Amino acid sequence: MQRVLVTGANRGLGLEFVHQLLMRGARVVAACRQPGRALKLTELAAAHPGHLHVVPLDLDKERSIAGLAHEAGMLTDRLDALINNAGVLVPGERYGELTAKAFAETFATNAIGPLLLTQALTPLLEHGQAPRVVNLSSDLGSHADTVVFNTPSYAISKAALNMVTRLAAAELRARGITVISLNPGWVRTEMGGARAPLAANESVAAMLAVIDGLKPGDSGRFLDYTGADVAW
Ligand SMILES: NC(=O)c1ccc[n+]([C@@H]2O[C@H](COP(=O)([O-])OP(=O)(O)OC[C@H]3O[C@@H](n4cnc5c(N)ncnc54)[C@H](OP(=O)(O)O)[C@@H]3O)[C@@H](O)[C@H]2O)c1
């Protein structure tokens, strides 16, 4: 896995993916909404000359996705992995006070964006070595494990992302591209909060081990960072 594109790369798990991939010698395209403000990525780019390209991407905008695909094609002739990491969670949603806006925006970022980006990058993935698409999902998107009314726009959008995984796996299997949903665990980031048990570096190291070990037969699975299956 030497050529990798990571979304939401400026902070949290995305930044840690970039860091660990660079430490392994990979060439990384790091996508984020505001490259000019992504100071940690700028520092990493300086520390790993020629290995890190920081490019703009707003997953909610089709033109931005098309622009990123064009730019990625100028930077590399193949992608071995696309890590659809960017995601959003609206805090404090309560039954009785739900708004359509929160659902629409969350759905755009967490479910539609990753599918459109995968579609746009498929020509580069087709040229990759054992190419794989990793959709960062959540146990909150599991139908089977849901017993409390919690973060509905996030949970519904991650359940939809899991369907993106199943559909893309079906479409891309014949092209040799493996697609999975991957739950990082509960991790200390801005989204996960300070009480989460896992550090970002632990979660990402474990996820990279899972991603490294993927075989074509794994396409369409929903795994967690330990490699165990998550119930749909
Ligand atoms: N942390 C956890 O415990 C946990 C648990 C389960 C699943 N996950 C999943 O893991 C992934 C990473 O989570 P995290 O904890 O690292 O979250 P985070 O710290 O909140 O970071 C989210 C990232 O997504 C980016 N993003 C949000 N909306 C975007 C958009 N429209 N276009 C492009 N980028 C956008 C953010 O960019 P800006 O800086 O510009 O906002 C940021 O880089 C997410 O998909 C999340 O759902 C996390």
Side-chain angles (χ1 to χ4, degrees):
M1 200 164 57
Q2 282 301 304
R3 307 270 178 102
V4 185
L5 192 146
V6 181
T7 68
N10 56 308
R11 58 186 170 96
L13 292 170
L15 181 65
E16 187 59 30
F17 268 119
V18 173
H19 181 232
Q20 292 195 22
L21 285 162
L22 288 171
M23 295 306 286
R24 291 157 50 137
R27 290 175 186 270
V28 182
V29 180
C32 62
R33 282 195 277 203
Q34 292 181 292
R37 291 187 169 191
L39 300 182
K40 290 182 177 151
L41 286 176
T42 306
E43 283 170 23
L44 282 175
H48 299 270
H51 279 244
L52 176 59
H53 294 281
V54 184
V55 295
L57 172 68
D58 186 336
L59 276 171
D60 301 356
K61 299 190 170 76
E62 264 187 284
R63 282 182 64 176
S64 178
I65 290 173
L68 172 86
H70 178 74
E71 205 162 339
M74 310 283 274
L75 293 169
T76 182
D77 56 2
R78 68 168 220 257
L79 277 177
D80 304 333
L82 163 62
I83 301 185
N84 276 320
N85 163 81
V88 68
L89 185 156
V90 178
E93 284 183 306
R94 289 194 189 163
Y95 192 73
E97 299 171 9
L98 302 175
T99 66
K101 187 169 179 283
F103 280 91
E105 289 176 359
T106 305
F107 209 73
T109 308
N110 290 1
I112 300 170
L115 177 56
L116 294 182
L117 184 63
T118 302
Q119 174 181 259
L121 293 175
T122 293
L124 288 177
L125 288 161
E126 281 180 307
H127 289 105
Q129 294 177 354
R132 54 210 84 181
V133 176
V134 178
N135 293 325
L136 269 277
S137 186
S138 168
D139 47 2
L140 296 175
S142 161
H143 289 73
D145 290 345
T146 297
V147 287
V148 291
F149 191 91
N150 198 12
T151 59
S153 63
Y154 182 79
I156 293 168
S157 69
K158 290 295 186 182
L161 178 65
N162 286 342
M163 181 54 94
V164 166
T165 293
R166 297 292 299 181
L167 290 169
E171 174 66 24
L172 299 177
R173 190 167 285 126
R175 306 185 205 194
I177 302 170
T178 299
V179 187
I180 63 158
S181 280
L182 186 56
N183 172 20
W186 186 17
V187 190
R188 290 190 295 278
T189 61
E190 251 179 80
M191 186 185 291
R195 288 191 306 121
L198 283 171
N201 63 345
E202 294 173 277
S203 169
V204 167
M207 286 194 283
L208 284 174
V210 173
I211 297 166
D212 283 336
L214 288 177
K215 300 193 172 53
D218 294 320
S219 203
R221 288 175 74 186
F222 183 12
L223 302 173
D224 76 8
Y225 65 101
T226 70
D229 283 293
V230 183
W232 295 106

